[in-house]
Amino acid sequence: MRAKRQGGMRALIYSARFRGLVYQVVVVAAVVLLGWYLVNNTLANLAARGIATGLSFLGREAGFDIGEGAVAYQASDSYLRALVVGLFNTLSVSVVGIILASTLGLVIGIARLSGNWIVARLATLYVEAVRNVPLLLQLFVWYGLVTALPGPRQALQPGLGLVLSNRGLKIPLPVWHETYGPVMIALGVALIGLFFLRRWAVARQYRTGQPFPWAAVGFAGAIGLPGLVFMAVGAPLEWDMPRLAGFNFQGGGTLSPEFVALLMGLSVYTGAFIAEIVRSGILAVPPGQTEAALSLGLSRAQTLRLVILPQALRVIVPPLTSQYLNLTKNSSLAVAIGYPDLVSVANTTINQTGQAVEGVALVMGVFLVISLSLSWLMNWYNAKVALVTR
């Protein structure tokens, strides 16, 4: 019996699975102990120097102004609200930048594969030039270009109510009326209908092989239904147009020079990397797919849209996720040109309160949540477009 028990213990000790479990427990314990030591050592050093700890400073009055933000803010508001303003500024430039960079990257990536020698070489020049210049330098160049524009009295007015000067970009804004509520509801219903129409059209095409112009029909409904409701409620359409008053423009919306420079820098820089991702994804599709589509009578544009790009997405989406994450994190360079993003506001908060550990930890935590959320969203989309194996 004893020999049997010893044999079983020896077999357990020499089991690869048991040893792997022991190693994992040891590593986790070591990491926990190291973290405990670092946290206690940091708290002890801060206490020895009389530096306050904790997050109670977030409720105190900030006492500094923020040049722009999507959230109402005054200097008398708390540090927490100031950080929220910085967070929304970071999210706004990141979301718009992702959209612009994706559009630019798609166009340039396709242009690199163009049969036109000039178009292909210009696209190659753009990619190679932009990718090999540091982003920070490009931000300085864009900021210099924007601030070198004429003053308000000599501002450029390309039309549609747009005004471009060294004070930024002024755009017209619609004046909100209470009667716009039903119009917004109609727009929401139309967009929901567009979603279900697309699903039905795709299922119908798989079942019968007959395509349905869901995009044209859906977008016509998305414009027509709100338009009918707009006319029915008799809502007036008014615009708040930018107008010169004194030494600056008043009215409309304003995109500051810092926002425009940061947005252009992030979009152009990331767009170059996305262009290479798009090009490699298209080249990964076997040439026989193009030949088969053309032999069926599809045009070049239809072949690219209906055959090539849907298959290329399986290659494009994973590295595209990394570029979206890079764009979001690179927005922290906004502090170099004075745009009040999360990092800039956090730096001001740290300088006033002296609580650098908490401030840096908050910024790291926020960027971690943003990155994980964006990664989850892109992984979900990647699973939708991935090739289903049987």
Side-chain angles (χ1 to χ4, degrees):
M1 179 67 70
R2 180 177 302 174
K4 184 177 181 180
R5 186 181 300 110
Q6 291 178 349
M9 184 64 68
R10 187 179 296 108
L12 179 63
I13 294 175
Y14 287 100
S15 170
R17 183 176 181 182
F18 176 76
R19 284 182 297 170
L21 179 62
V22 171
Y23 294 154
Q24 293 181 56
V25 171
V26 171
V27 170
V28 171
V31 171
V32 171
L33 289 175
L34 178 61
W36 176 82
Y37 168 76
L38 292 176
V39 170
N40 279 272
N41 185 57
T42 301
L43 293 176
N45 289 333
L46 291 175
R49 289 164 176 75
I51 300 176
T53 57
L55 300 177
S56 60
F57 72 95
L58 293 177
R60 301 205 302 263
E61 180 179 327
F64 62 88
D65 292 319
I66 297 179
E68 60 182 297
V71 180
Y73 171 81
Q74 296 179 351
S76 58
D77 290 332
S78 64
Y79 284 112
L80 177 60
R81 190 170 185 84
L83 291 172
V84 170
V85 174
L87 172 60
F88 274 92
N89 286 346
T90 295
L91 291 176
S92 61
V93 73
S94 298
V95 171
V96 180
I98 285 175
I99 296 173
L100 293 181
S102 301
T103 305
L104 183 61
L106 177 62
V107 173
I108 298 298
I110 296 174
R112 286 208 65 186
L113 300 174
S114 173
N116 187 300
W117 187 87
I118 295 179
V119 172
R121 292 303 178 271
L122 287 177
T124 302
L125 177 63
Y126 161 77
V127 170
E128 296 302 329
V130 172
R131 288 198 310 170
N132 293 290
V133 176
L135 175 58
L136 184 59
L137 296 181
Q138 295 188 37
L139 291 180
F140 288 147
V141 170
W142 282 108
Y143 187 66
L145 291 175
V146 174
T147 54
L149 289 171
R153 293 186 178 276
Q154 294 81 31
L156 305 177
Q157 301 187 28
L160 300 178
L162 301 177
V163 179
L164 187 61
S165 68
N166 57 9
R167 305 291 179 90
L169 176 64
K170 300 288 292 187
I171 58 176
L173 293 178
V175 178
W176 177 263
H177 292 272
E178 295 181 357
T179 52
Y180 286 172
V183 179
M184 293 295 103
I185 296 175
L187 178 60
V189 172
L191 293 178
I192 295 174
L194 175 61
F195 171 77
F196 285 104
L197 178 64
R198 179 186 179 277
R199 294 190 60 177
W200 172 82
V202 171
R204 176 180 179 271
Q205 185 170 358
Y206 281 140
R207 185 176 64 254
T208 65
Q210 298 295 325
F212 181 82
W214 64 268
V217 175
F219 284 110
I223 297 175
L225 181 59
L228 292 175
V229 176
F230 179 83
M231 291 186 294
V233 298
L237 183 59
E238 298 181 15
W239 291 89
D240 183 14
M241 305 295 293
R243 57 191 181 278
L244 184 63
F247 297 100
N248 202 355
F249 283 90
Q250 295 183 357
T254 303
L255 301 180
S256 68
E258 294 78 15
F259 178 87
V260 174
L262 179 62
L263 179 62
M264 295 303 298
L266 292 175
S267 302
V268 171
Y269 181 75
T270 310
F273 290 90
I274 294 178
E276 284 297 274
I277 294 173
V278 171
R279 184 179 70 91
S280 62
I282 293 176
L283 291 177
V285 179
Q289 297 290 319
T290 301
E291 297 172 359
L294 294 176
S295 66
L296 292 175
L298 296 179
S299 65
R300 288 282 182 180
Q302 290 176 325
T303 300
L304 180 65
R305 180 172 60 89
L306 300 175
V307 178
I308 304 302
L309 285 181
Q311 297 183 71
L313 281 176
R314 297 159 185 163
V315 180
I316 291 174
V317 171
L320 186 63
T321 303
S322 299
Q323 294 305 320
Y324 287 171
L325 294 175
N326 288 338
L327 187 148
T328 304
K329 290 180 288 188
N330 286 337
S331 65
S332 59
L333 294 175
V335 66
I337 58 175
Y339 180 70
D341 73 321
L342 177 62
V343 175
S344 176
V345 175
N347 285 340
T348 304
T349 301
I350 291 172
N351 291 334
Q352 291 189 358
T353 62
Q355 297 189 240
V357 175
E358 292 85 349
V360 173
L362 284 173
V363 174
M364 291 174 60
V366 169
F367 273 101
L368 179 62
V369 171
I370 295 175
S371 299
L372 291 178
S373 301
L374 185 56
S375 297
W376 175 85
L377 180 62
M378 293 300 295
N379 288 335
W380 170 82
Y381 181 71
N382 186 42
K384 298 286 288 185
V385 301
L387 182 63
V388 179
T389 57
R390 299 183 182 274

